[in-house]
Amino acid sequence: MLHDTIAAISTADVEAAISIVRMSGENAIEIANEIFSRNLLNVPSHTVHYGMIKDKDEVVDEVLVSVFRAPKTFTREDIVEINCHGGRIVTRRVLALCLEHGARLARAGEFTQRAFLNGRIDLTQAEAIGDLIHADSQRSAKMAIGGVKGSVKGLIQPVIDELLELIATIEVNIDYPEYDDVEQLTDEIVL
């Protein structure tokens, strides 16, 4: 599942000046290279390139293509973002070309899912991203951005560490009751 390349329109599906089509996966750069007028295969990470999206010999749009190489990306995979003109027809055609050249249409939230599965973010941060997207006030957006930055993890990590240490001690007490240097746990100590 994580070895395929996914693509989606990352901006709202409305008429706008600019839309972004994003791809993530091990073939993202190669797929973009097949439809872009310039060679992207050896460009450095975190760079932007001007050129044309082409369907064979036909120019589809004048674009900026951003290339981000793994692992320093949101998903920890290669990512390409195509900034195209925001008409629905053009944006959907750019996405269709990505799909025709080997990408798969991403499911809702799949970029964030990959960031989680690849260890870039934890579950609380993934949930906070959803909260940020759906925030309906400045207060809720501020709380969500705190979660994205890891504030929830910072609160619960000490408790998790303490529980893991307690579980390890319980297991040692069960498996090796003859050890004198291990604290003998009682119900009171566990509580």
Side-chain angles (χ1 to χ4, degrees):
M1 177 178 157
L2 289 178
H3 296 290
D4 58 352
T5 298
I6 57 174
I9 299 170
S10 294
T11 48
D13 190 21
V14 296
E15 278 190 26
I18 302 293
S19 288
I20 298 173
V21 175
R22 178 181 292 155
M23 287 189 286
S24 179
E26 56 189 33
N27 296 320
I29 297 169
E30 290 81 6
I31 292 169
N33 192 64
E34 291 177 22
I35 62 173
F36 191 55
S37 60
R38 296 178 54 199
N39 187 345
L40 297 170
L41 296 179
N42 296 313
V43 300
S45 184
H46 295 75
T47 55
V48 180
H49 307 274
Y50 167 80
M52 305 293 169
I53 293 294
K54 299 177 82 178
D55 184 1
K56 299 179 182 69
D57 293 329
E58 177 190 356
V59 173
V60 174
D61 195 15
E62 177 182 36
V63 301
L64 293 174
V65 174
S66 303
V67 175
F68 306 96
R69 295 186 182 276
K72 294 185 178 185
T73 68
F74 178 67
T75 60
R76 288 200 172 152
E77 301 172 336
D78 288 344
I79 291 180
V80 172
E81 291 184 348
I82 302 169
N83 291 260
C84 55
H85 289 96
R88 287 183 173 134
I89 300 299
V90 171
T91 305
R92 289 178 184 168
R93 185 149 180 221
V94 171
L95 175 61
L97 285 168
C98 293
L99 301 178
E100 287 172 21
H101 285 85
R104 172 181 60 76
L105 185 62
R107 297 180 307 275
E110 191 169 2
F111 289 94
T112 302
Q113 178 187 33
R114 285 184 176 214
F116 169 71
L117 293 174
N118 289 325
R120 166 69 173 69
I121 58 175
D122 67 21
L123 189 55
T124 62
Q125 291 170 302
E127 290 174 349
I129 290 169
D131 293 342
L132 184 59
I133 290 168
H134 299 293
D136 57 1
S137 69
Q138 285 286 52
R139 184 171 186 260
S140 59
K142 186 175 181 178
M143 289 174 57
I145 199 67
V148 170
K149 290 172 28 181
S151 65
V152 175
K153 182 180 181 179
L155 289 172
I156 64 173
Q157 192 62 50
V159 175
I160 291 170
D161 293 342
E162 193 173 330
L163 287 172
L164 289 173
E165 187 174 322
L166 180 62
I167 290 168
T169 305
I170 290 170
E171 288 182 3
V172 167
N173 273 251
I174 292 170
D175 293 342
Y176 306 103
E178 68 275 6
Y179 284 3
D180 293 331
D181 58 342
V182 176
E183 178 183 15
Q184 294 299 312
L185 293 180
T186 64
D187 290 344
E188 293 79 25
I189 292 174
V190 171
L191 290 175

